[in-house]
Amino acid sequence: MTAPRNGTAETPGAESRLGAAPSPGAAQRRAERAAACLSRVTGLLEALGTARVARREEIARVNPRHLRSAVNLVDYAAVRAQDLRSLQNELAALGVSSLGRMEAGVHEHLVAVAQTLAAVAGQGAPELPDVPGFPTATSSPDAPWSSNAPSSHPAPERPDAERGGAPGAEGRSGQATLARNAAGLLGPAPQGRGTRTMVTMPSEAATDAGLARRLVAAGMDVARINCAHDGPEQWARMVEHLRAAAAEQDRDLRIAMDLAGPKVRTGPLQPGPRVARIKPQRDATGHVVRPARLWLGTPAPVDDGVACVPVEPAAWLAERQPGDRLHLRDARDSGRTLRVVQTHEGGVLVEFSKTVYFATGLALTSRDGSEAELGELAETEQRVRLRAGETLRLLNTSEPVPVTPEGPASIGCTLPEAFRDARVGHRVLLDDGKMGGVVRAVGPGTMDVEITRAAPGGSRLAAEKGINFPDTDLRIPSLTAQDREDLRFVARHADIVNMSFVRRAQDVADLLAELDALDAHGLDVTLKIETVGGFEQLPMMLLEAMRWEDCGVMIARGDLAVETGFERMAEVQEEILWLCEAAHVPVVWATQVLESLAKKGVPSRAEITDAAQGQRAECVMLNKGPFVVEAVRTLVSVLERMSGHASTKTDLLRALHAWAGFVR
């Protein structure tokens, strides 16, 4: 007999002995625990039946190819309305699937778990509730559902992309359906990876055909054109370059175009005086290490980043020579001397060692006493400074608002409906969440917002900055008049339309109706989730979108993070991924992926990790930047490396309250 580590004798046949059969008492307790879990799983199956009946009408309206997916979406929402963490712990302790990978086939997964639990409990085949099957569009509300309706579009045996599967044939079919839908929306999965890459086109893509070729060669699978920028002429040239590059390289490139949607922004501010402040570079002790430089008149053809101020008459400038000294009294009435260091046709380059405030109409005097006058300078962009505790007054106007030191800081709001729908106590977020406040008073023409968050020394708010109302149900359509006009172009030239700021199922219905009217049934649809309202209404919006042939979801993490709060963003994006996997709807992981690399040429460590996590979606989107081609290559490399790793996880299934209203 081997002495145990604690020094006591080990009894032969004890339960603690490795490989020994459990005692009759332990076996009985295990069977009882399995029976208790079986009762809970049976209750979940009953909840599926209730949810399917409650959502029968919406399910029956979807495209037949999405019928199983719509039912599974409803099933998943019903299960996730409950807190399953204690059940998960019990299932894991019993060695049974803990429900952490059931998204693709909820009913089949629960049935398999129930059958396993019944065997552990020694009950034989379990008696499970009769869950209604699949309705049809012609079924009456009281007609029975088929419990074994076949899929209208059988899934391929070997899908293009695999994610973790649920037990049983239907679980595997759910993964194949997701792969089929991803291929339909985003194109075939590239060799070596299941996740596609999407790239936002910069304005230069309209004039630089080589950029399209380089992006396609680097691995871009979907090109994104944002209708909020440029115009039809530029879009058409971008599409021409992209199609030509794809044909040249024999690539299946998809083109997606974003509708701008009703983006809420700050209104214009009255410009400041036409003054330019130009100063020399100084060291830490205040000594000038590099004089200030300025072009007077027309700058040299080589752009060296030096500012330019017009001068009249031009003939006066033509007489200046290097070494000449020019005198003026600047906008502060300070005497200043400028030294000419270079001349060229139409202009001279001057240097000076003191800060100068240049203003329209100031006189320049040469050594010979002749004079010229500074021409019209650009207007100064104004901003309002906000500090915590102060009041910002939003105005229901599109007219420029003056910036004055008296009274509360004021600025316009581009959305009149905000003054109708906002309520006292609602949060307001400004400039991508850099500032935040709470509504203290609201009327038809004004809204007073108490600033609760700003930089320690105050923050400056300019025109054309975003405003978010995360607590306000803005009763506005997501499809604007401009979107409807742009949609005509999109329907003729693009493969996918991305719907911005979609908030409710009616918004999706409006888009589909517009596409019907344009006979654009070949244009696929992606819903951009970028508001709290859109996130909370996602199940209903998915059921509406599934009336279409191919649809997807984009997690627009920029605006969504502003509305949800950065600390909640991780769980929100996770919940969207879960729900879309249950609906077999492909997801685009968007915003700030490898942003430092695309803009500055060097990625951060956190960005690489974020890009790797994007492998859990069907597509990852990069924004534009001077180093975007290198960013595409890096993203492709990361995705190829990650595709070789299994998607293993066990989610803790606490109740999801965001979609509680969907479950009836």
Side-chain angles (χ1 to χ4, degrees):
M1 182 184 301
T2 303
R5 293 180 181 177
N6 61 7
T8 60
E10 185 175 333
T11 305
E15 289 181 26
S16 60
R17 184 177 172 186
L18 182 63
S23 67
Q28 179 63 29
R29 289 193 297 273
R30 177 178 170 83
E32 290 172 353
R33 290 166 60 193
C37 289
L38 176 59
S39 176
R40 292 192 63 182
V41 172
T42 300
L44 293 177
L45 288 167
E46 292 172 349
L48 301 194
T50 302
R52 290 185 183 189
V53 172
R55 291 297 175 191
R56 175 187 182 126
E57 182 179 346
E58 291 90 347
I59 294 172
R61 295 173 64 235
V62 306
N63 188 302
R65 72 195 296 269
H66 298 311
L67 185 57
R68 288 186 181 274
S69 302
V71 171
N72 195 61
L73 165 64
V74 172
D75 288 351
Y76 185 73
V79 170
R80 291 307 309 272
Q82 306 181 43
D83 191 333
L84 304 179
R85 286 174 290 183
S86 62
L87 174 60
Q88 285 184 280
N89 290 335
E90 281 293 294
L91 292 174
L94 291 168
V96 180
S97 169
S98 61
L99 308 180
R101 294 297 297 139
M102 67 175 172
E103 289 90 350
V106 176
H107 178 258
E108 297 78 19
H109 198 117
L110 291 177
V111 168
V113 170
Q115 291 170 341
T116 303
L117 288 171
V120 174
Q123 297 182 6
E127 292 187 8
L128 301 179
D130 185 15
V131 179
F134 302 91
T136 64
T138 57
S139 299
S140 67
D142 299 323
W145 288 12
S146 166
S147 59
N148 295 294
S151 171
S152 302
H153 293 256
E157 292 183 5
R158 302 182 68 85
D160 293 318
E162 288 292 343
R163 297 166 79 173
E170 291 303 328
R172 292 193 296 273
S173 176
Q175 299 305 320
T177 301
L178 176 58
R180 177 204 69 190
N181 293 343
L185 179 73
L186 303 164
Q191 184 70 28
R193 56 185 166 92
T195 303
R196 291 82 171 162
T197 61
M198 177 185 291
V199 182
T200 302
M201 294 297 101
S203 298
E204 306 88 80
T207 55
D208 184 2
L211 177 60
R213 290 194 295 271
R214 293 192 297 274
L215 287 169
V216 172
M220 175 178 67
D221 304 299
V222 184
R224 171 180 176 257
I225 299 173
N226 192 348
C227 292
H229 304 290
D230 305 307
E233 184 178 343
Q234 291 81 13
W235 304 337
R237 289 201 295 267
M238 291 181 193
V239 171
E240 179 184 353
H241 295 159
L242 290 164
R243 297 290 190 204
E248 180 182 302
Q249 300 178 42
D250 194 25
R251 288 284 308 281
D252 186 346
L253 178 74
R254 302 296 168 93
I255 295 179
M257 295 189 70
D258 283 35
L259 301 177
K263 178 75 173 178
V264 189
R265 296 188 179 276
T266 54
L269 293 168
Q270 286 186 4
R274 296 179 181 274
V275 173
R277 176 175 175 260
I278 302 178
K279 61 181 181 178
Q281 182 179 339
R282 300 177 184 272
D283 62 18
T285 64
H287 292 87
V288 174
V289 294
R290 184 177 180 181
R293 310 184 97 195
L294 175 72
W295 279 104
L296 297 177
T298 305
V302 177
D303 182 10
D304 55 5
V306 177
C308 176
V309 171
V311 172
E312 301 172 353
W316 182 87
L317 277 180
E319 299 174 359
R320 302 308 107 200
Q321 298 296 325
D324 284 356
R325 295 183 180 274
L326 311 178
H327 304 281
L328 84 159
R329 301 200 72 81
D330 73 359
R332 301 174 299 170
D333 199 31
S334 297
R336 292 291 184 259
T337 299
L338 317 178
R339 184 170 63 89
V340 178
V341 295
Q342 182 181 333
T343 65
H344 84 98
E345 185 179 357
V348 301
L349 180 66
V350 296
E351 288 185 347
F352 41 98
S353 58
K354 293 184 178 180
T355 300
V356 180
Y357 285 77
F358 294 92
T360 301
L362 291 180
L364 281 170
T365 306
S366 67
R367 184 166 47 190
D368 60 11
S370 62
E371 290 188 353
E373 187 176 278
L374 297 184
E376 189 169 65
L377 278 70
E379 295 174 327
T380 306
E381 181 185 17
Q382 295 283 75
R383 301 186 181 193
V384 295
R385 183 174 291 278
L386 303 172
R387 296 177 176 83
E390 295 181 343
T391 295
L392 171 67
R393 179 161 292 168
L394 295 178
L395 304 178
N396 186 3
T397 180
S398 58
E399 297 298 318
V401 175
V403 178
T404 61
E406 301 85 17
S410 300
I411 198 168
C413 173
T414 61
L415 187 70
E417 291 83 357
F419 298 85
R420 176 196 66 195
D421 297 335
R423 298 289 181 268
V424 172
H426 284 188
R427 289 175 296 155
V428 180
L429 305 173
L430 305 160
D431 194 4
D432 294 332
K434 295 182 179 67
M435 293 157 271
V438 177
V439 176
R440 296 306 184 199
V442 60
T446 63
M447 183 188 309
D448 285 352
V449 179
E450 179 188 349
I451 300 300
T452 57
R453 189 180 73 252
S459 300
R460 300 177 69 196
L461 180 64
E464 290 294 312
K465 297 300 181 182
I467 307 177
N468 293 81
F469 295 91
D471 302 329
T472 304
D473 181 16
L474 294 171
R475 293 170 290 165
I476 54 173
S478 293
L479 202 62
T480 67
Q482 185 61 53
D483 291 338
R484 294 177 189 274
E485 180 64 29
D486 293 342
L487 197 54
R488 298 178 181 275
F489 180 97
V490 175
R492 293 194 305 270
H493 295 88
D495 304 299
I496 306 167
V497 58
N498 298 332
M499 189 177 195
S500 300
F501 296 99
V502 56
R503 291 180 172 85
R504 52 183 63 86
Q506 185 58 50
D507 294 330
V508 183
D510 291 344
L511 175 62
L512 300 188
E514 195 72 17
L515 294 178
D516 269 329
L518 294 171
D519 194 24
H521 296 94
L523 186 66
D524 299 332
V525 172
T526 295
L527 309 180
K528 293 176 65 178
I529 307 304
E530 45 199 327
T531 66
V532 170
F535 167 66
E536 292 175 345
Q537 292 296 314
L538 184 55
M540 286 301 296
M541 293 195 303
L542 285 175
L543 287 178
E544 190 68 31
M546 290 162 80
R547 292 169 47 213
W548 210 243
E549 184 77 5
D550 281 303
C551 61
V553 161
M554 178 185 289
I555 309 178
R557 301 185 298 170
D559 281 285
L560 187 58
V562 171
E563 291 224 349
T564 63
F566 293 103
E567 66 279 358
R568 194 185 170 207
M569 184 61 222
E571 69 171 319
V572 167
Q573 86 179 4
E574 201 70 17
E575 291 177 19
I576 294 174
L577 284 168
W578 290 334
L579 191 72
C580 289
E581 185 173 357
H584 310 142
V585 168
V587 173
V588 179
W589 177 289
T591 311
Q592 292 187 318
V593 178
L594 296 179
E595 183 166 8
S596 295
L597 175 56
K599 291 185 176 180
K600 300 178 181 178
V602 180
S604 69
R605 294 174 178 84
E607 284 181 344
I608 295 296
T609 302
D610 180 57
Q613 285 295 305
Q615 186 262 347
R616 298 179 54 222
E618 284 65 46
C619 186
V620 177
M621 190 190 89
L622 295 171
N623 272 324
K624 54 195 174 184
F627 303 96
V628 67
V629 175
E630 180 59 30
V632 174
R633 294 194 188 100
T634 300
L635 178 61
V636 167
S637 176
V638 170
L639 294 175
E640 286 177 347
R641 291 174 182 274
M642 291 302 298
S643 67
H645 297 277
S647 178
T648 56
K649 69 181 183 69
T650 301
D651 296 316
L652 295 180
L653 306 182
R654 68 170 177 80
L656 298 183
H657 302 294
W659 303 313
F662 178 74
V663 181
R664 294 191 272 192

